[in-house]
């Protein structure tokens, strides 16, 4: 059974950077969509970025394009989200999530992802 554990959240001033990590275990020999979601109070959980393990295809929501980078390290079974030029509106709890998928692109809806990490808080102050 796949398990995910996030780390790397914290507090930073606007314009700063953070890198989130997601340690994955229990994967079978299949292809997966892996995504970073975020949720702030009163808002729906939204997909920030996704990565398809089959071909490396990536997706970014418009608000983070050019600032965030999603990547995978297969040797460490880890997924990363490098976040640069952070803005106060990036403040949220960030979750790593995954589901098994045979083809890209990955789905953007949270309900499709069936394994979730516990979340890590990111706070950006102005």
């Amino acid at each position: 059974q796949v398990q995910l554990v996030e780390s790397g959240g914290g507090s930073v001033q606007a314009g700063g950077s953070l890198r989130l990590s997601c340690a994955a275990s229990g994967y079978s020999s299949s292809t997966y969509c892996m995504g970073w979601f975020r949720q702030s109070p009163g808002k729906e959980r939204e997909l920030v970025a996704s990565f398809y393990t089959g071909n490396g295809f990536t997706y970014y929501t418009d608000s983070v394009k050019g600032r965030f980078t999603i990547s995978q390290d297969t040797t460490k079974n880890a997924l990363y989200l490098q976040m640069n030029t952070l803005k106060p509106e990036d403040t949220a709890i960030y979750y790593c999530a995954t589901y098994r998928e045979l083809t890209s692109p990955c789905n953007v809806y949270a309900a499709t992802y069936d394994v979730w990490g516990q979340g890590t808080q990111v706070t950006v102050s102005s």
Side-chain angles (χ1 to χ4, degrees), residues 15-104:
S17 298
L18 285 173
R19 189 176 82 155
L20 305 183
S21 298
C22 176
S25 61
Y27 275 107
S28 65
S29 56
S30 182
T31 52
Y32 292 82
C33 279
M34 302 190 73
W36 285 101
F37 286 78
R38 66 185 179 188
Q39 188 169 24
S40 52
K43 294 187 177 181
E44 291 188 357
R45 192 169 295 189
E46 68 164 342
L47 179 64
V48 175
S50 66
F51 182 98
Y52 179 59
T53 65
N55 58 14
F57 185 85
T58 58
Y59 160 87
Y60 298 94
T61 194
D62 286 345
S63 62
V64 307
K65 285 181 180 177
R67 300 190 298 122
F68 290 11
T69 302
I70 189 171
S71 62
Q72 183 194 36
D73 185 337
T74 56
T75 64
K76 298 180 180 179
N77 287 328
L79 183 74
Y80 303 103
L81 186 68
Q82 178 66 44
M83 305 185 294
N84 298 327
T85 319
L86 282 160
K87 304 176 180 180
E89 51 264 43
D90 294 318
T91 295
I93 299 175
Y94 284 71
Y95 298 88
C96 177
T98 189
Y99 71 97
R100 186 176 296 182
E101 176 60 80
L102 297 179
T103 62
S104 64

Side-chain angles (χ1 to χ4, degrees), residues 2-26:
V2 177
Q3 293 185 320
L4 304 173
V5 179
E6 303 100 332
S7 61
S11 297
V12 64
Q13 289 191 327
S17 298
L18 285 173
R19 189 176 82 155
L20 305 183
S21 298
C22 176
S25 61

